[in-house]
Amino acid sequence: MTEMNIDIDALMHELEELAAFSDTPPPSVTRVLWTETDQKARAYLKRRIEEAGFSWREDAIGNIFATFEGKNPRLPKVGTGSHIDAIPHAGKYDGTVGVLGGLEAMRALKRSGFQPRRSIELLVFNAEEPTRFGVGCLGSRMLSGALKPEEALKFRDQDHMSFDDARAQGGFLGDLGKVQLSDQHYFAFVELHIEQMPNLEKAGLPIGVVTAIAAPSSFKLHLTGQGGHAGAVLMPDRKDAFLAASEIALCIEQAVKDHGTIDTVGTVGLVQVHPNAINSIPSKVELGVDLRDIEATRRDRVLQSLLQAAEDICLKRGIRMELEMLNQDPPSKSDPMLVKTIQSNCEKLGIPYQNMVSRAYHDSLFMARIAPTAMIFIPCKDGISHRPDEYASPEHIRTGVEVLAGVLRDLGEV
Ligand code: GLV
Ligand code: MN
Ligand code: MN
């Protein structure tokens, strides 16, 4: 077995440097698909890839592939990677640990004198976060064929810019029909990520081996009532879209509690009020809802019951409601052979671990449709994520990269 030295100082420095490409001030990180900041972060990453001596290519939406060429480059590859986009006011480690950590794992293998039989490929997914078009895992959805070009072309961002105009602004003009990967492209795919929950930290364990990813669903409710003067329209005469939205939000919480279990979670994370003026009755409201469970059938039961409750509220209040379903994804299971490979690498290195389910979604949810897939989790402080104070320690990042490098080495030799 070749000795592997993870250059944790270089990696931590790169995580800091990447975090500086942000549309909000430090310590927060905001990086949204195809913006100028996103372009600068990509350029930074491509420079690091070139410096490491790996070649890269980009597809028509900007997914980046960096290759550590194997002795037999025609064999299905071993993939690793994650995302570098960040929701508004996020932290430094979500996604980036899997990208820069994946790059460091490839560099460490190269430094050790190893050349794999199969090529090892770092994949930097586009827009894992739903910030711009409301749909998470845009890059991996298209790579896996779960989202077809004609569906993506219908998307508009919050400024009503079309998918293709936004893509062109980011400098991507290629054929969308070529984004989907064949199911022969990867022999295996392994993603390193922070846990985003406190379980590993509480258990005092440095590694989680992900055996399944929960089923996320998201949708918008467009509510239309009647606007008017906040002083002049009497209460019995109102059709206030925001009051309906408020009642619906509480109903969503109730439906999750009544028809779900502790594994069911529902969030109204997006509210747009029109005209959003203090002396005007809201005439239109858009609610963005995220609903998840580790079981898709239970999630869908909760969904049906909350939609029924929302319709009843709208009927009572004279509000028109339109449902816009954004996604209703099935959960994914990790590949047992990959789970075993991760576990045996932990055992070889004397690193304790536990198996776990991922409640957050990841690009691996979609990669599992076209390749045997698994994930390696490392702890993050207090389980905090999607916040500026998100933190993962250098020791834990180092351990995660060491395990990942071992896994890539083993798979690269099969
Ligand atoms: C991914 O960021 C998620 O919301 O699970
Ligand atoms: Mn995230
Ligand atoms: Mn992530």
Side-chain angles (χ1 to χ4, degrees), residues 22-319:
S22 169
D23 286 329
T24 50
S28 73
V29 181
T30 302
R31 242 186 337 257
V32 181
L33 178 71
W34 298 328
T35 57
E36 220 180 298
T37 303
D38 180 46
Q39 294 296 89
K40 286 183 187 158
R42 286 164 187 278
Y44 171 81
L45 199 60
K46 289 180 226 166
R47 283 198 298 278
R48 299 284 81 75
I49 291 168
E50 285 168 7
E51 268 172 26
F54 302 127
S55 57
W56 59 265
R57 72 174 176 92
E58 260 167 341
D59 67 12
I61 53 171
N63 290 309
I64 302 171
F65 301 77
T67 312
F68 178 7
E69 195 161 286
K71 292 175 200 140
N72 193 344
R74 283 206 302 277
L75 287 175
K77 301 174 201 328
V78 176
T80 189
S82 195
H83 61 100
I84 62 162
D85 66 316
I87 64 158
H89 299 275
K92 293 188 183 108
Y93 304 94
D94 175 5
T96 55
V97 163
V99 171
L100 287 166
L103 178 61
E104 175 53 20
M106 281 167 41
R107 289 188 299 219
L109 286 168
K110 194 169 178 225
R111 282 196 299 268
S112 75
F114 173 78
Q115 193 196 1
R117 196 167 86 85
R118 303 169 180 278
S119 295
I120 299 176
E121 191 166 75
L122 175 72
L123 181 34
V124 187
F125 296 100
N126 234 356
E128 188 264 358
E129 305 291 5
T131 318
R132 185 145 193 182
F133 292 106
V135 175
C137 299
L138 186 72
S140 49
R141 246 176 232 278
M142 291 195 78
L143 287 173
S144 67
L147 175 69
K148 300 287 178 208
E150 57 274 20
E151 295 165 318
L153 284 169
K154 289 185 204 144
F155 291 165
R156 289 192 172 261
D157 70 10
Q158 281 181 8
D159 300 324
H160 306 287
M161 187 182 275
S162 74
F163 182 85
D164 238 13
D165 285 348
R167 182 168 79 102
Q169 219 172 49
F172 300 103
L173 305 162
D175 180 0
L176 289 179
K178 293 201 173 127
V179 172
Q180 185 175 347
L181 293 176
S182 117
D183 60 6
Q184 292 305 302
H185 185 86
Y186 285 119
F187 169 71
F189 185 84
V190 182
E191 178 174 3
L192 172 66
H193 204 282
I194 56 169
E195 184 198 355
Q196 304 179 289
M197 286 187 77
N199 299 319
L200 288 173
E201 187 178 63
K202 278 190 191 148
L205 292 170
I207 293 289
V209 183
V210 176
T211 54
I213 303 177
S217 168
S218 48
F219 58 92
K220 282 187 181 172
L221 295 178
H222 300 274
L223 308 173
T224 310
Q226 223 163 59
H229 194 289
V233 183
L234 299 179
M235 297 311 274
D237 301 329
R238 293 192 181 195
K239 290 179 180 169
D240 184 326
F242 179 72
L243 292 183
S246 311
E247 221 182 310
I248 289 171
L250 293 174
C251 243
I252 290 173
E253 184 192 29
Q254 206 54 48
V256 167
K257 285 181 176 167
D258 291 349
H259 303 287
T261 67
I262 189 69
D263 291 320
T264 322
V265 285
T267 308
V268 182
L270 191 145
V271 183
Q272 309 255 24
V273 181
H274 180 83
N276 209 20
I278 198 164
N279 57 351
S280 182
I281 300 163
S283 59
K284 283 191 228 165
V285 172
E286 184 181 302
L287 290 182
V289 186
D290 181 304
L291 180 68
R292 310 185 193 199
D293 201 312
I294 54 175
E295 276 182 32
T297 43
R298 190 169 51 215
R299 176 200 66 192
D300 292 343
R301 254 203 322 271
V302 173
L303 178 64
Q304 285 320 312
S305 86
L306 70 83
L307 288 177
Q308 187 56 57
E311 267 171 29
D312 294 348
I313 290 165
C314 288
L315 197 67
K316 184 183 73 185
R317 288 181 171 273
I319 303 288

